[in-house]
Amino acid sequence: MSTETITTISPATNAPVLTRNGLADSEIALLPTTATKAFNIYRLTSLQQRKAIVAKALQLLKNRQDVLARELAEQMGRPIAYGAKEITTAVARGEYLLKISEDVLKDTEGEPEDGFIRYIRKIPVGPVLILFAWNYPYLILVNSLIPALLAGDPVILKPSPQTPTIAEHIHGIFSEAGLPPNVIQYFHCGSLPRLENIIKSPLIRLICFTGSVSGGMAVQRAAANRIVSVGLELGGKDSAYVRADVDVKWAAEEIVDGAIFNSGQSCCSIERVYVAEKVHDQFVTAVQEVLKGYKLGNPLDKSTNVGPVVSRKAVEVIKAHVQDALNKGAVDATPDNESFSHPPPNGNYVVPTLLTDVTHDMDIMKEETFGPVIPVMKVGDDEEAVRLMNDSEYGLTASIWTSDISAGRRLAEEVEVGTVFVNRCDFPSPDLAWTGWKNSGKGVSLSKFGFEQFVKLKSFHLKDYPRVFIMEESDFKQFQPKKVTEHSFYRELDPVTWE
């Protein structure tokens, strides 16, 4: 019997949307055992069989994008106009991982040598626990789910209480696509102690977590008493640097989108903007013009492009960061906008906010805000910009905006992040490694390297059967070898010449 009821609260209205029952401790404890039994069967399937299942599931997911987009709007507040895009992007990402899987998972041959066969095989690691966040749930889940299934691993999914239906849909879609029973399991949980129990299970061979730094550290602590891999995709305080040689109107449009899309609720949203002194004022004016065209409103309205943030707690954090900046001398340069002045009642609506005259003494430039705020800081040159970009405990992404690609590339080498963009932002490309530096995480997803955590390596070293002469002593006396070594009957010999 369940001992936990989990309620999803609408960010748009703060009213309950749906409830789910969590599992009892005894039921959660059975999940790894069930996954292990499924693993013993699933690991024997061929890669071609697994690819066919994944391909069919991705098509089913794509076919349901409109229904799933509405659910995202209702559960986590993203404007419905953009919800389907997450589904199609997730499918495209999955299709890329599918395309490269055969090459990535094939054996690696050793150095050729007569009489020997040597190779390295990638063996599925076993049951994987995937704990994934609410802000881009399908995209986040695809990063781990698809490589795991292609590698031959069963998975146990724990969705965010904010978006519980994602795991349910994925389970149903893959079952329909022909995935064997219990290769995907899921459970709902809002209790850290219960989550710790499954993390500590010796049957769980890999843990993939996406969420906050504090959440990732809690998962890492829970797993600390045993040898198990833990992949962490955590927060960011991603920076942008606008050089003086750039078209400021174009850069403003791109950077506002990178900062405000999904109400700023992305680990790779732009949260700090450094602008060359020469074009600073022009850039601020351009950002104001862009913000005038945004509409803050009900996520179910197709004309809305900025919805609510996820919770009242999130509102409090964002407003506290903004107020701290204002108290320390920042200027609120947000332009007039009718939708900003009259957001819908009851929901967690935060006005997209433009701040100038910010410094690194302010929380808004140091701590993850995770909201629709654009703090802009003036810099004197490239060196100052890079120094400030690197002055952070986070290291997920950064972007450099310039017409001089060579200069952009040179500066990109100096920025301490897992992904650096030039003239682009907020776009995890499936052919590149997605990885966090510093407190932004550890481990890799996407690209060919994203498969590595889902397999373990096994080296095979085969030698030809030796040429051994087995003779009775009486037979041996009939021959007089020119050369007989001490170990002639036990080891492979140099050729022996008999008279």
Side-chain angles (χ1 to χ4, degrees):
M1 183 175 179
S2 173
T3 58
E4 183 181 25
T5 300
I6 301 164
T7 301
T8 299
I9 303 298
S10 166
T13 64
N14 276 309
V17 176
L18 50 82
T19 60
R20 289 294 184 268
N21 292 324
L23 298 181
D25 291 342
S26 58
E27 295 172 308
I28 293 176
L30 287 175
L31 295 173
T33 301
T34 303
T36 301
K37 292 177 180 178
F39 176 54
N40 290 334
I41 298 172
Y42 186 60
R43 67 185 179 87
L44 301 178
T45 60
S46 69
L47 178 56
Q48 293 304 317
Q49 290 173 307
R50 300 194 291 266
K51 286 176 65 178
I53 292 169
V54 169
K56 184 175 180 180
L58 290 173
Q59 186 59 52
L60 290 171
L61 181 61
K62 187 175 182 179
N63 293 345
R64 298 172 192 180
Q65 59 182 284
D66 291 334
V67 173
L68 302 181
R70 185 174 184 87
E71 279 194 1
L72 288 173
E74 293 170 342
Q75 293 176 27
M76 56 75 63
R78 182 183 307 131
I80 196 168
Y82 307 118
K85 183 66 175 176
E86 178 181 350
I87 309 302
T88 57
T89 304
V91 169
R93 188 177 288 184
E95 288 173 342
Y96 176 80
L97 295 170
L98 186 66
K99 181 179 75 172
I100 67 172
S101 61
E102 199 155 337
D103 187 59
V104 170
L105 295 172
K106 69 181 181 182
D107 291 349
T108 301
E109 299 297 330
E111 286 292 308
E113 182 179 353
D114 289 344
F116 293 88
I117 299 173
R118 291 192 292 267
Y119 57 93
I120 303 167
R121 178 154 292 170
K122 298 177 178 70
I123 307 295
V125 71
V128 179
L129 176 62
I130 302 177
L131 314 170
F132 62 105
W134 53 267
N135 56 325
Y136 284 97
Y138 288 101
L139 283 171
I140 292 168
L141 181 53
V142 160
N143 290 0
S144 300
L145 176 68
I146 302 303
L149 294 179
L150 290 171
D153 299 318
V155 299
I156 301 171
L157 309 180
K158 205 294 289 185
S160 164
Q162 193 66 45
T163 50
T165 59
I166 278 70
E168 298 165 7
H169 288 308
I170 291 295
H171 178 269
I173 284 170
F174 274 88
S175 295
E176 186 176 341
L179 192 69
N182 298 321
V183 174
I184 292 180
Q185 300 178 87
Y186 68 88
F187 69 106
H188 300 294
C189 179
S191 164
L192 182 58
R194 284 183 177 170
L195 201 54
E196 287 177 347
N197 288 337
I198 192 170
I199 290 170
K200 292 175 180 179
S201 169
L203 298 178
I204 297 295
R205 302 302 174 86
L206 170 65
I207 302 155
C208 299
F209 173 85
T210 305
S212 67
V213 173
S214 60
M217 294 184 74
V219 169
Q220 189 166 257
R221 283 193 297 270
N225 289 331
R226 66 188 185 97
I227 306 301
V228 62
S229 294
V230 180
L232 301 175
E233 184 179 327
L234 308 178
K237 192 68 183 175
D238 295 6
S239 60
Y241 170 39
V242 180
R243 298 183 81 232
D245 60 4
V246 79
D247 179 334
V248 293
K249 290 184 179 180
W250 166 76
E253 290 176 357
E254 297 289 322
I255 288 171
V256 169
D257 180 65
I260 303 301
F261 189 80
N262 208 39
S263 299
Q265 299 170 124
S266 170
C267 57
C268 55
S269 288
I270 292 176
E271 293 212 1
R272 298 177 286 151
V273 184
Y274 304 98
V275 182
E277 185 174 10
K278 183 178 178 180
V279 295
H280 173 272
D281 293 350
Q282 295 170 257
F283 177 79
V284 170
T285 299
V287 169
Q288 289 172 328
E289 289 302 311
V290 175
L291 286 175
K292 288 177 183 178
Y294 273 64
K295 181 181 177 180
L296 175 66
N298 187 329
L300 296 177
D301 181 345
K302 291 185 178 180
S303 67
T304 294
N305 47 23
V306 183
V309 296
V310 70
S311 66
R312 286 173 173 165
K313 182 179 178 180
V315 173
E316 292 173 1
V317 170
I318 297 163
K319 288 187 174 180
H321 284 189
V322 171
Q323 191 58 54
D324 173 76
L326 295 174
N327 291 345
K328 294 175 180 176
V331 174
D332 186 344
T334 308
D336 292 335
N337 179 311
E338 179 66 21
S339 70
F340 295 179
S341 302
H342 300 93
N346 303 322
N348 306 316
Y349 293 93
V350 176
V351 171
T353 303
L354 172 62
L355 297 176
T356 60
D357 293 352
V358 295
T359 70
H360 273 224
D361 295 324
M362 301 171 183
D363 293 344
I364 200 74
M365 298 299 279
K366 302 294 285 185
E367 298 181 11
E368 186 175 31
T369 304
F370 221 61
V373 183
I374 309 172
V376 178
M377 184 173 178
K378 189 184 300 182
V379 294
D381 54 27
D382 290 348
E383 182 179 357
E384 181 183 11
V386 170
R387 178 177 60 78
L388 291 168
M389 293 170 86
N390 290 338
D391 181 23
S392 175
E393 65 179 84
Y394 298 100
L396 189 56
T397 82
S399 57
I400 297 162
W401 303 81
T402 178
S403 61
D404 185 341
I405 301 302
S406 295
R409 191 168 186 172
R410 172 178 56 80
L411 294 172
E413 295 281 356
E414 301 176 29
V415 182
E416 298 168 353
V417 292
T419 298
V420 61
F421 301 97
V422 176
N423 298 329
R424 196 177 197 181
C425 63
D426 193 20
F427 188 86
S429 185
D431 58 332
L432 297 179
W434 189 245
T435 184
W437 290 16
K438 304 179 184 179
N439 281 350
S440 286
K442 65 175 185 176
V444 177
S445 62
L446 301 181
S447 79
K448 65 179 183 180
F449 301 103
F451 285 82
E452 291 184 353
Q453 62 183 332
F454 299 98
V455 297
K456 50 191 175 185
L457 301 182
K458 186 171 184 176
S459 293
F460 289 77
H461 192 145
L462 289 70
K463 181 180 179 181
D464 285 352
Y465 192 73
R467 295 166 56 195
V468 176
F469 296 89
I470 302 176
M471 309 180 74
E472 298 294 333
E473 185 176 354
S474 59
D475 295 330
F476 178 76
K477 291 178 181 178
Q478 299 177 33
F479 300 95
Q480 296 296 321
K482 291 182 178 179
K483 179 182 180 182
V484 179
T485 69
E486 178 183 1
H487 305 292
S488 58
F489 293 99
Y490 306 105
R491 300 185 58 186
E492 187 175 8
L493 297 175
D494 293 331
V496 178
T497 302
W498 303 87
E499 292 185 349

